[in-house]
Amino acid sequence: MNPFSRFLVELQDISFLFWRMLRGLRKQPRYFDEMIRQMDSIGVGSLAIVSLTGFFTGCVLILQAYPTLEYYGAQSSAGQSVAITLIRELGPVLCALMVAGRVGSAISAELGSMVVSQQIDAMRALGTSPARKLVTPRVIALVVTLPLLTVAADVFGLIGGGIIARYLYALDANTYITSLRAGITIQDIIGGVIKPLAFGFIIGLISCHKGLTTQGGTVGVGKSTTDAVVLSSITVIIADFFLSKVLQGFFGNTLF
Amino acid sequence: MFETETISRQQSPISPIVPAIEFRDVDLAFDDRVILDAINFTVRRGETKIVLGGSGSGKSTIIKLILGLLRPDAGTVLVDGEDITNADEQELTEMRKKIGMVFQEGALFDSLSVYDNVAYRLAEEGIDDDEIEHEVIRMLRFVDLEDAIDKMPIELSGGMRRRVGIARALVGSPSIVLFDEPTAGLDPPTARTICELAIKLRDLEGVSSIFVTHEMNNLKYLSSEYAIVDGEGQVFFEQEGDKLCIINTKVMMIKQGNIIFDGTDEELKLSKDPYIHRFITGR
């Protein structure tokens, strides 16, 4: 099969999985317990790495931007520069990439192992739809927790930026906070939460699809795990561009 | 020896002459590779069909077709007289309630305890907790694993995993049980225990089954021994011979997607086909 046909087949399979997942939401049983368990494992479990990523991203943003801002005498806009970059772009994207690495790989490996040990077949033989039992709770958990994780990453990033601005560049804390408050608009915040909603959906669906289509034993599990992380990361980055464009269309192109 | 309890089978309104399973001209291919080529066979009610064949011959595929996990490219698969070839997922789910499936390695859910594994089907159906507990204990007693009820699958030996798999398959008292190489990789005494369970199901519960295997010992046990219960409820296994002759166990051999033999074990042993001869004797 040539790469284009393979891409179309994958797209078709993912669309079917999406459809079965939606049907899973409509019918009983809905596996709320499983959703809560997944939210705990995905959300609470990823909080530390996401917060750390956000914190140091905020730190490095100020570290790199401050000298330039100082050159133009715009030190008072330091907070604004970190806020817009983090909340609009880096927060959602970095958070999604971290979660794709940690959670996407785990989902794909878990479902892949279930496929090769025939647990998925057993589940179907026992009258349960794997899409409803396994895919729906994971995707919903990702869609709910990724925006929350992104907000945590943003907050820690802004704190990190503030610490560097205050202690490395001796910027007054009040100036930084005032600049933050002036720089963040409600559109930025809404956009910064809509993006991770879409990213959570992308990571969940791709990782589950890759896991459930695992072939060829333990080697296959490794391959599907790699594919899940690579494909969801790339799709997140591509989707980010188009989402940004759509959000710009909705909210207008807010300037610094 | 086992103590036995009567398991009430799902009562089907279908006539007893209607076969439990029937394949009519079933074809299946993956890309260019032919897996099954115009397969025809039936499994009558209460009959055990032993499916023999080398690795990759298409044995396990037959089981997946019966469960509706795969769909044939052509032909018809009937379960209890119902055509499941084009059934949707909802219809297949209903049909699967009649079938118990025992997987090669047990296929137990790693994240669930033995209790939860066996209880899985009933819990999914929203059955009352007390009823589930009663049924799980009954099934674990049937496979002689009542003590392992709180263990996790990782703590079980290979043979115990298969037996838990059998207990899970039997919950809900299905009228058809499919065994997919349930003794592969087990030591001979444990493999014998698995065969004894299959014999008990056939002779004491009247279950129709397909027993996929490539081990000749399984064929010997299933086609030459039968189970009886004494007055105290103890189960014994006796050799066929003077008292009784087993007629509800048939053998089918598959080679590269084709049925090359379908008959009794005695006929199989008399076969002149060189492949069958080599398969039986190993030479």
Side-chain angles (χ1 to χ4, degrees):
Chain A
M1 204 186 287
N2 66 51
F4 183 68
S5 306
R6 203 160 54 229
F7 168 74
L8 288 181
V9 169
E10 292 252 332
L11 201 62
Q12 173 187 280
D13 288 349
I14 292 177
S15 307
F16 277 138
L17 188 63
F18 172 54
W19 174 242
R20 289 203 300 273
M21 192 206 97
L22 282 186
R23 284 204 315 187
L25 274 176
R26 212 161 46 83
K27 288 181 183 170
Q28 296 280 5
R30 291 204 176 88
Y31 303 107
F32 284 121
D33 293 354
E34 180 67 12
M35 275 182 210
I36 301 294
R37 249 196 314 278
Q38 290 299 328
M39 282 181 202
D40 180 43
S41 142
I42 294 168
V44 181
S46 307
L47 190 59
I49 58 159
V50 161
S51 305
L52 211 62
T53 308
F55 181 82
F56 282 100
T57 307
C59 291
V60 83
L61 277 176
I62 278 289
L63 192 74
Q64 298 286 12
Y66 195 87
T68 316
L69 290 169
E70 197 175 32
Y71 179 78
Y72 290 108
Q75 301 95 312
S76 59
S77 297
Q80 200 175 355
S81 72
V82 179
I84 290 183
T85 322
L86 256 184
I87 293 171
R88 279 193 196 171
E89 283 301 327
L90 288 184
V93 172
L94 284 181
C95 195
L97 293 181
M98 294 305 287
V99 169
R102 182 185 174 270
V103 179
S105 59
I107 289 176
S108 177
E110 186 187 359
L111 299 192
S113 307
M114 288 181 79
V115 169
V116 298
S117 60
Q118 291 190 299
Q119 290 178 51
I120 298 291
D121 282 346
M123 194 170 272
R124 291 175 69 193
L126 290 164
T128 307
S129 153
R132 197 185 305 167
K133 170 95 177 170
L134 301 171
V135 178
T136 307
R138 281 163 176 76
V139 174
I140 296 292
L142 269 164
V143 168
V144 171
T145 54
L146 198 57
L148 299 174
L149 288 169
T150 305
V151 171
D154 291 346
V155 170
F156 276 91
L158 296 179
I159 293 171
I163 290 171
I164 296 299
R166 172 74 186 84
Y167 294 102
L168 207 64
Y169 295 118
L171 182 74
D172 180 46
N174 276 335
T175 313
Y176 180 78
I177 292 168
T178 311
S179 160
L180 277 184
R181 291 177 62 179
I184 305 170
T185 63
I186 190 72
Q187 286 91 336
D188 291 332
I189 294 174
I190 293 171
V193 173
I194 288 175
K195 280 185 180 179
L197 278 176
F199 296 160
F201 184 75
I202 289 168
I203 295 167
L205 213 53
I206 289 177
S207 306
C208 287
H209 166 70
K210 283 290 169 191
L212 288 175
T213 51
T214 299
Q215 285 177 331
T218 44
V219 177
V221 176
K223 188 177 177 308
S224 63
T225 307
T226 310
D227 287 354
V229 176
V230 171
L231 193 61
S232 41
S233 302
I234 290 173
T235 314
V236 159
I237 289 169
I238 294 171
D240 179 56
F241 170 76
F242 290 104
L243 270 171
S244 298
K245 193 75 193 115
V246 170
L247 288 170
Q248 268 186 2
F250 269 111
F251 298 136
N253 198 356
T254 349
L255 295 169
F256 250 109
Chain B
M1 292 297 157
F2 300 96
E3 281 186 18
T4 187
E5 253 183 277
T6 308
I7 302 169
S8 57
R9 296 284 131 208
Q10 287 199 346
Q11 291 304 307
S12 169
I14 312 284
S15 151
I17 351 165
V18 174
I21 297 163
E22 188 173 359
F23 272 47
R24 292 181 190 160
D25 293 320
V26 172
D27 288 333
L28 182 71
F30 295 144
D31 297 328
D32 296 334
R33 199 158 61 94
V34 176
I35 308 295
L36 296 177
D37 187 10
I39 292 281
N40 281 291
F41 73 91
T42 56
V43 179
R44 289 178 293 136
R45 285 176 191 285
E47 181 178 85
T48 292
K49 177 83 87 182
I50 302 169
V51 180
L52 295 172
S55 303
S57 57
K59 306 187 298 284
S60 299
T61 308
I62 287 178
I63 279 188
K64 288 187 174 169
L65 284 166
I66 297 167
L67 279 168
L69 300 178
L70 290 175
R71 286 180 195 273
D73 296 336
T76 314
V77 178
L78 296 107
V79 176
D80 259 354
E82 283 176 48
D83 183 354
I84 62 152
T85 322
N86 296 312
D88 62 25
E89 202 61 26
Q90 187 75 35
E91 291 165 335
L92 286 174
T93 302
E94 282 305 308
M95 181 276 296
R96 285 171 189 151
K97 286 180 184 169
K98 298 177 193 169
I99 301 178
M101 170 75 203
V102 180
F103 287 88
Q104 233 171 68
E105 305 280 340
L108 302 181
F109 302 124
D110 291 334
S111 56
L112 303 180
S113 68
V114 167
Y115 178 93
D116 291 330
N117 261 288
V118 179
Y120 187 86
R121 179 178 267 175
L122 300 177
E124 288 290 299
E125 287 171 11
I127 308 286
D128 182 57
D129 284 351
D130 292 339
E131 204 176 315
I132 291 179
E133 190 178 345
H134 176 258
E135 182 72 0
V136 170
I137 291 172
R138 196 161 69 91
M139 282 309 150
L140 286 175
R141 198 174 291 155
F142 183 76
V143 296
D144 204 22
L145 269 179
E146 215 180 336
D147 297 340
I149 193 161
D150 292 323
K151 289 191 174 168
M152 295 302 283
I154 193 83
E155 299 173 77
L156 305 176
S157 66
M160 289 163 93
R161 289 173 74 96
R162 313 291 167 96
R163 277 147 69 198
V164 174
I166 292 175
R168 183 177 68 181
L170 298 183
V171 162
S173 307
S175 57
I176 298 166
V177 178
L178 309 173
F179 295 89
D180 187 7
E181 301 199 31
T183 62
L186 294 182
D187 58 88
T190 314
R192 156 121 197 140
T193 313
I194 303 289
C195 291
E196 284 178 349
L197 288 170
I199 294 170
K200 274 168 66 181
L201 282 173
R202 178 192 67 194
D203 298 341
L204 308 179
E205 314 294 346
V207 165
S208 320
S209 61
I210 288 190
F211 197 102
V212 168
T213 185
H214 56 251
E215 291 173 38
M216 297 313 291
N217 266 345
N218 295 344
L219 171 68
K220 193 177 89 182
Y221 297 141
L222 288 164
S223 59
S224 67
E225 292 187 37
Y226 59 90
I228 49 164
V229 190
D230 67 9
E232 290 165 6
Q234 290 284 325
V235 179
F236 290 91
F237 296 92
E238 290 192 353
Q239 286 285 335
E240 70 171 340
D242 302 338
K243 278 196 265 176
L244 199 140
C245 178
I246 297 169
I247 57 162
N248 58 356
T249 298
K250 294 282 161 56
V251 189
M252 185 167 94
M253 185 172 271
I254 299 189
K255 183 188 171 192
Q256 291 168 350
N258 291 292
I259 296 174
I260 56 168
F261 176 85
D262 194 0
T264 64
D265 61 314
E266 287 87 2
E267 289 164 351
L268 181 80
K269 282 168 198 158
L270 294 173
S271 169
K272 301 284 182 212
D273 186 300
Y275 179 82
I276 295 175
H277 182 73
R278 204 165 61 246
F279 199 94
I280 296 172
T281 59
R283 285 178 277 145

